[in-house]
Amino acid sequence: MFTPQPIGFVSSPFKNTGEIPKGLGAQHKEEGALRVLPEFEMGLTDIEGFSHLIVLWEFDRAENFALLGTPPSDNRPHGVFATRSPRRPNPIGLTVVELLRREGCALHVRGLDMLDGTPILDIKPYLSSIPAEELRRGWLAEAEARHKGRATLGAGEK
Amino acid sequence: MFTPQPIGFVSSPFKNTGEIPKGLGAQHKEEGALRVLPEFEMGLTDIEGFSHLIVLWEFDRAENFALLGTPPSDNRPHGVFATRSPRRPNPIGLTVVELLRREGCALHVRGLDMLDGTPILDIKPYLSSIPAEELRRGWLAEAEARHKGRATLGAGEK
């Protein structure tokens, strides 16, 4: 297979994984930059026209992979390919960010959930969405429903 | 960086790149399977609950990368990170597929645009969409508008 190389690095406010919002209802609104290496700058031509980008990056501080794991959004284990766990056979992360502006090699973006210094593998334009009404979200929807049920029960108990 | 390893291979009806629909309005409705290697099967636990999956895979038959290229959907060159070109610094492809059913290590899916035998790097659940009204699609929207303009002009000329 190919040998991965960083095309750039993430400038993020997050220095430790504990600072990154996780679990049900976590929002990623943090701003930062995708700093592309100068030798790849020409590859950014015309990227300004896109509102959203898909960023592929390396979980460079993740441990060995685990095929089963309990995500922060649930108290039950699920297969790694049914979660966004960092502990993947190929430690590739995916984040959709909103492109705020470009300054040369730097793409200023909103929606980061990576650590500062994370190596970037690829940037792709976000072209289309699956309509929300066509999505089924398996265990995550079930965990959300249980969470809401507990919240409602809690409110009723008061 | 990490050393990529295939977690499985794609069974696709496409044997040559020329068979894959490309360009404006191309639809990917082809069915096939993601055949995960048996040693990774436990990682598929609970994946059946998701209607759509994100597949990361290797452009294993792509040539060296090119920072600028003219995509099949336009007659103007754009930066590689503003396109889905196969000729990327890290030759990683991304496809969103609809999960039809699972049979052990095989995920039967709709929406393939990879060649038969393509190595799979990762599978992630598709969790949420950017609403269509929030998307800007830069050069692609412009190319579509020019295409429609020509089509309308053509109709008027008849």
Side-chain angles (χ1 to χ4, degrees):
Chain A
M1 302 197 92
F2 68 102
T3 302
Q5 59 179 322
I7 61 153
F9 295 89
V10 177
S11 283
S12 156
F14 302 123
K15 311 298 174 193
N16 303 290
T17 51
E19 300 166 12
I20 304 176
K22 285 190 185 65
L24 293 175
Q27 300 254 332
H28 297 119
K29 298 285 180 194
E30 290 292 336
E31 295 182 14
L34 311 175
R35 300 196 182 280
V36 171
L37 297 172
E39 61 263 41
F40 296 113
E41 179 172 355
M42 197 185 291
L44 298 176
T45 305
D46 297 336
I47 205 164
E48 301 88 340
F50 292 89
S51 59
H52 292 77
L53 303 173
I54 298 170
V55 187
L56 301 182
W57 43 277
E58 185 190 18
F59 282 108
D60 62 324
R61 279 154 279 190
E63 300 159 45
N64 283 342
F65 73 85
L67 291 177
L68 278 180
T70 301
S73 43
D74 202 358
N75 52 8
R76 304 175 186 192
H78 305 288
V80 66
F81 303 124
T83 75
R84 297 294 186 99
S85 165
R87 302 184 57 188
R88 321 185 72 80
N90 293 294
I92 305 175
L94 183 158
T95 304
V96 174
V97 296
E98 183 185 352
L99 178 58
L100 301 174
R101 67 187 186 282
R102 174 180 167 196
E103 282 174 20
C105 294
L107 301 175
H108 295 275
V109 299
R110 180 185 292 133
L112 294 176
D113 63 353
M114 313 83 137
L115 290 171
D116 191 49
T118 290
I120 303 169
L121 291 165
D122 202 5
I123 300 172
K124 298 178 192 288
Y126 186 109
L127 299 180
S128 64
S129 290
I130 306 292
E133 63 271 21
E134 293 178 20
L135 284 184
R136 276 187 304 112
R137 303 186 309 132
W139 66 261
L140 185 60
E142 289 167 21
E144 286 172 352
R146 282 199 308 276
H147 185 76
K148 275 192 196 158
R150 276 199 301 273
T152 310
L153 196 65
E157 280 169 347
K158 273 174 202 170
Chain B
M1 301 198 92
F2 68 102
T3 302
Q5 57 177 321
I7 62 154
F9 295 89
V10 177
S11 283
S12 157
F14 302 123
K15 309 299 175 193
N16 303 290
T17 53
E19 300 167 13
I20 304 176
K22 285 190 185 63
L24 292 175
Q27 300 254 333
H28 296 119
K29 298 286 180 194
E30 290 292 336
E31 295 183 14
L34 310 176
R35 300 197 183 279
V36 171
L37 298 172
E39 62 263 41
F40 296 113
E41 179 172 356
M42 196 185 289
L44 298 176
T45 305
D46 297 335
I47 205 164
E48 301 89 338
F50 292 89
S51 59
H52 293 77
L53 303 173
I54 298 170
V55 187
L56 301 182
W57 43 277
E58 186 190 19
F59 283 109
D60 62 325
R61 279 152 278 189
E63 299 159 46
N64 283 342
F65 72 85
L67 291 177
L68 278 181
T70 301
S73 42
D74 202 358
N75 53 7
R76 305 174 185 193
H78 304 289
V80 65
F81 303 124
T83 75
R84 297 296 186 97
S85 164
R87 302 184 58 189
R88 320 185 73 77
N90 292 294
I92 305 175
L94 183 157
T95 303
V96 174
V97 297
E98 183 184 353
L99 177 59
L100 301 174
R101 67 187 186 283
R102 175 180 167 195
E103 282 175 19
C105 294
L107 301 175
H108 296 274
V109 298
R110 179 185 294 135
L112 294 177
D113 62 354
M114 313 83 137
L115 290 171
D116 191 47
T118 291
I120 302 169
L121 292 165
D122 201 5
I123 300 172
K124 298 178 191 290
Y126 186 109
L127 299 180
S128 64
S129 289
I130 306 292
E133 62 272 20
E134 293 178 19
L135 283 185
R136 275 188 303 114
R137 302 185 310 132
W139 66 260
L140 185 59
E142 289 166 22
E144 285 171 354
R146 283 199 307 274
H147 185 76
K148 275 191 195 160
R150 276 200 301 274
T152 309
L153 194 65
E157 280 170 347
K158 272 177 202 169

